């Protein structure tokens, strides 16, 4: 962490009606080295801000789960997240997830959606998981990249062939 900018973080969350979780978070990152050395040619601001707000709700004894989030990322650098396929994207972002489990919890259908509004870039991932043995799960998904070909989800596509749809 010593190479990262200094950061301050705050978070507030609460539960309504015993099933709706609502949260908001804020982040301020400061690059102390660049703080006094700003130049007009620099693409990275010495002080960056981020904020998000979201919700999570479940129905039918947690068989149906829905969550959504808005996230503004003001950072221009340090966008890699450990374990994530895609980096964070600068600007306004939206994400959502819907998941439904069958009655015996062995089969789950899900859809994930991510959108970076700044670059008109979208990622839609429908899929299923199947628990076929204890501690053994099969995951099948079809990531679909939509929107501008110059947008983040196209340019950061992990597929070596840069196909917008894969299995």
């Amino acid at each position: 962490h010593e190479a990262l900018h200094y950061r301050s973080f705050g978070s507030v969350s609460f539960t309504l009606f015993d099933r709706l979780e609502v949260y908001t978070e804020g982040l301020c990152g400061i690059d102390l080295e660049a703080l006094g050395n700003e130049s007009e040619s620099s693409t990275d601001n010495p002080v960056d801000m981020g904020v998000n707000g979201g919700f999570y709700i479940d129905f039918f004894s947690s068989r149906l789960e829905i969550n959504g989030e808005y996230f503004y990322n003001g950072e221009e650098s340090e966008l890699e997240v450990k374990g994530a396929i895609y980096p964070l994207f600068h600007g306004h972002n939206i994400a959502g997830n819907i998941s439904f489990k069958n009655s015996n919890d062995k089969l789950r259908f899900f859809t994930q959606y991510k959108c970076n509004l700044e670059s008109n870039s979208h990622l839609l991932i429908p899929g299923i998981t199947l628990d076929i043995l204890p501690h053994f799960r099969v995951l099948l998904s079809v990531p679909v990249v939509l929107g501008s070909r110059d947008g983040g989800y196209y340019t950061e596509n992990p597929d070596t062939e840069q196909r917008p749809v894969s299995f």
Side-chain angles (χ1 to χ4, degrees):
H1 292 314
E2 66 186 40
L4 292 174
H5 299 163
Y6 290 99
R7 299 182 184 287
S8 258
F9 173 84
S11 176
V12 175
S13 66
F14 53 91
T15 304
L16 298 171
F17 316 114
D18 291 329
R19 74 165 29 139
L20 174 62
E21 302 285 332
V22 179
Y23 61 90
T24 185
E25 301 166 327
L27 170 83
C28 178
I30 300 174
D31 182 356
L32 293 178
E33 290 180 17
L35 195 56
N37 301 324
E38 292 182 63
S39 69
E40 292 183 24
S41 63
S42 175
T43 59
D44 195 7
N45 299 324
V47 178
D48 294 318
M49 306 288 275
V51 65
N52 74 344
F55 71 92
Y56 166 87
I57 190 168
D58 63 70
F59 301 96
F60 314 116
S61 301
S62 296
R63 297 217 181 282
L64 175 63
E65 300 173 336
I66 302 170
N67 93 294
E69 181 173 304
Y70 162 80
F71 177 67
Y72 176 77
N73 178 26
E75 294 193 78
E76 297 90 4
S77 61
E78 300 180 351
L79 301 174
E80 299 297 322
V81 177
K82 183 178 179 178
I85 294 173
Y86 293 95
L88 297 174
F89 295 115
H90 182 268
H92 300 278
N93 297 273
I94 297 171
N97 297 291
I98 297 174
S99 173
F100 182 77
K101 292 184 245 178
N102 72 341
S103 60
N104 64 8
D105 289 340
K106 294 195 179 286
L107 181 65
R108 180 175 70 103
F109 298 93
F110 67 88
T111 299
Q112 296 178 346
Y113 173 72
K114 297 179 181 183
C115 171
N116 176 254
L117 298 171
E118 304 292 309
S119 65
N120 186 27
S121 187
H122 310 265
L123 178 65
L124 180 66
I125 307 175
I128 61 170
T129 61
L130 179 60
D131 293 335
I132 57 176
L133 296 170
H135 311 291
F136 189 79
R137 176 177 290 163
V138 174
L139 165 67
L140 302 171
S141 65
V142 182
V144 180
V145 180
L146 303 164
S148 170
R149 292 211 179 253
D150 297 327
Y153 291 106
Y154 264 107
T155 59
E156 298 291 334
N157 191 343
D159 179 13
T160 57
E161 301 295 320
Q162 299 300 302
R163 294 170 286 212
V165 177
S166 58
F167 179 75

